[in-house]
Amino acid sequence: MTIYLSENIKSLRRARELTQEALAEFLGVTFQSVSNWERGESYPDITLLPEIAGFFKVSVDELLGVNRAEDEEKITKELEAYDNLTDEKLKLEIINKLKEKFPNDFRILLRYMTSLVHFKENTPENVAKIIAIYENIKQNCNNDKIRISAKRHIAELYKGLSEKEGSGITFEDCEKIIKEMPRMRDGQEMFCFYYPENYPNGDEIIMNTLEEQFLLLNTVYSHYFYYNGFFYDRNFSDEWVISAFKSELDFLNFVYDDGHYGKMWRTVMYNYGHLGVRYFKMGDNANALENFRKMCELAIKFDSMGRITTMHSVMFEGKRFDKQTLGTTYIAKMQVKELLTEKYPLSEEFKATDEFKKMIERLG
């Protein structure tokens, strides 16, 4: 049974707006003892439990978190079901109910915060809710993974608000959050080499690390000279950008030599699309069409795959891939079609060609 004594003492103390010193004085212990209890480094003497419970007007079972321990299995199952849903409307309904039922569970609060950032308008009311959840997690949550995820979401919120006139948020507010976050070298992925040989799931951990690094590198690398379907003016020539994208694709096709791109599916598809746009910009319609065709073929292949598939490249042999890693509602054909017909800066004359129209028809 999991004991939640440490965080319960901390939350009960804060709810009463007491300092550690004040609680320690009442119980006749040092404030260092209270601090150690709250950090989970030690526990109160068993004879103190009734006194602590009585002080906070809760039962000893409630102080220990026995009821919460019984709820833990339910919460875990419900969150797993939530994470596997594809219907965003249903997800919003479920996370709202979970939040009402378990208002102090930080895993639930983080998902609720995510839903507000991604699927709700940035009204003053929603912004206030998001900031309140963030402050709660920052001050009270001991799970670093949840705390850092909350920072990522608040940075995303501030970035959007900084571009909104009259929001009162500037990019400097966003930058402050970014600078508080750890560098990539301090993340868990960087320590995959700590795992000993033949450690259970050790190879899978290393594979996940490799894919995460590939994805992060691509995000920063491509953003440097390509942004949101339009061209950044950084004095990179079209020829150089084409060479950069082709080099990256050569590397990814070498790494994923079975044609199954795992977490990089979207990256590979979009890179072919970016190449197509560059070739079109240079007046090379034949190469533009060829790269758009590859993009479409990969989108069709991705959507035809089952949700769970097994990779067979040399580097990732036996690794299982869950399509929902790319988003529970991600449909490649729909996204590619939108890019080709609405987002990419292609001429109507180009889009009227038979070759282009056939590609769009295949996307459905």
Side-chain angles (χ1 to χ4, degrees), residues 154-156 158-159 162 169-179:
I154 203 73
E156 185 176 349
Y158 283 175
K159 171 62 166 62
S162 70
I169 299 293
T170 66
F171 183 74
E172 284 67 30
D173 297 306
C174 176
E175 184 182 36
K176 180 181 178 182
I177 301 296
I178 293 171
K179 288 183 175 180

Side-chain angles (χ1 to χ4, degrees), residues 75-88:
I75 293 173
T76 301
K77 285 183 178 179
E78 291 197 48
L79 287 179
E80 183 178 352
Y82 170 86
D83 290 338
N84 288 327
L85 286 173
T86 58
D87 187 325
E88 296 299 344

Side-chain angles (χ1 to χ4, degrees), residues 39 73 116 193 285 295 301 317 336 345 359:
R39 290 199 303 270
E73 185 177 353
L116 290 175
F193 51 82
N285 288 357
M295 184 189 193
K301 181 179 177 180
E317 175 60 47
V336 168
M359 282 192 293

Side-chain angles (χ1 to χ4, degrees), residues 12 16 26-27 48-60 63:
L12 288 167
R16 292 278 293 272
F26 174 82
L27 297 172
L48 273 177
L49 294 180
E51 189 173 357
I52 298 172
F55 177 76
F56 289 120
K57 295 182 172 56
V58 297
S59 68
V60 171
L63 181 65

Side-chain angles (χ1 to χ4, degrees), residues 11-238:
S11 62
L12 288 167
R13 176 181 63 78
R14 286 186 166 177
R16 292 278 293 272
E17 298 183 351
L18 293 172
T19 63
Q20 290 180 339
E21 290 84 352
L23 178 59
E25 183 178 353
F26 174 82
L27 297 172
V29 298
T30 65
F31 84 89
Q32 287 94 341
S33 294
V34 174
S35 177
N36 289 338
W37 298 344
E38 293 186 358
R39 290 199 303 270
E41 295 179 1
S42 64
Y43 291 115
D45 188 282
I46 193 170
T47 59
L48 273 177
L49 294 180
E51 189 173 357
I52 298 172
F55 177 76
F56 289 120
K57 295 182 172 56
V58 297
S59 68
V60 171
D61 278 355
E62 288 176 296
L63 181 65
L64 292 172
V66 172
N67 292 337
R68 180 176 172 184
E70 293 173 351
D71 287 336
E72 179 63 22
E73 185 177 353
K74 297 178 185 177
I75 293 173
T76 301
K77 285 183 178 179
E78 291 197 48
L79 287 179
E80 183 178 352
Y82 170 86
D83 290 338
N84 288 327
L85 286 173
T86 58
D87 187 325
E88 296 299 344
K89 183 178 180 181
L90 181 58
K91 290 185 75 167
L92 285 172
E93 293 175 0
I94 289 176
I95 203 62
N96 276 312
K97 290 179 181 177
L98 281 173
K99 178 179 166 293
E100 291 176 7
K101 191 174 181 181
F102 305 105
N104 298 314
D105 189 289
F106 292 115
R107 295 164 297 178
I108 293 170
L109 286 175
L110 179 65
R111 287 166 173 81
Y112 179 66
M113 179 184 183
T114 303
S115 72
L116 290 175
V117 172
H118 290 165
F119 305 111
K120 294 285 188 179
E121 293 182 7
N122 287 337
T123 62
E125 181 184 6
N126 284 332
V127 169
K129 287 181 182 178
I130 294 166
I131 293 174
I133 294 170
Y134 170 68
E135 291 296 332
N136 184 6
I137 290 174
K138 184 173 73 170
Q139 294 174 22
N140 301 314
C141 180
N142 294 323
N143 186 311
D144 286 338
K145 188 174 182 180
I146 292 176
R147 289 163 59 88
I148 292 170
S149 293
K151 283 184 180 294
R152 178 166 60 85
H153 291 316
I154 203 73
E156 185 176 349
L157 174 72
Y158 283 175
K159 171 62 166 62
L161 290 175
S162 70
E163 298 169 350
K164 187 176 179 181
E165 188 176 350
S167 70
I169 299 293
T170 66
F171 183 74
E172 284 67 30
D173 297 306
C174 176
E175 184 182 36
K176 180 181 178 182
I177 301 296
I178 293 171
K179 288 183 175 180
E180 291 175 357
M181 299 177 76
R183 292 183 178 274
M184 287 182 282
R185 66 186 179 194
D186 296 323
Q188 62 178 334
E189 294 82 9
M190 287 304 297
F191 296 95
C192 66
F193 51 82
Y194 280 14
Y195 289 91
E197 188 176 356
N198 299 323
Y199 188 85
N201 300 321
D203 284 350
E204 183 180 358
I205 292 166
I206 293 174
M207 291 177 187
N208 287 334
T209 298
L210 285 168
E211 285 209 290
E212 190 69 19
Q213 296 303 313
F214 294 161
L215 193 60
L216 289 172
L217 178 62
N218 170 266
T219 301
V220 178
Y221 174 74
S222 60
H223 187 85
Y224 186 47
F225 53 83
Y226 197 94
Y227 176 70
N228 201 28
F230 299 95
F231 303 114
Y232 247 167
D233 182 16
R234 292 192 187 273
N235 299 318
F236 295 119
S237 68
D238 290 322

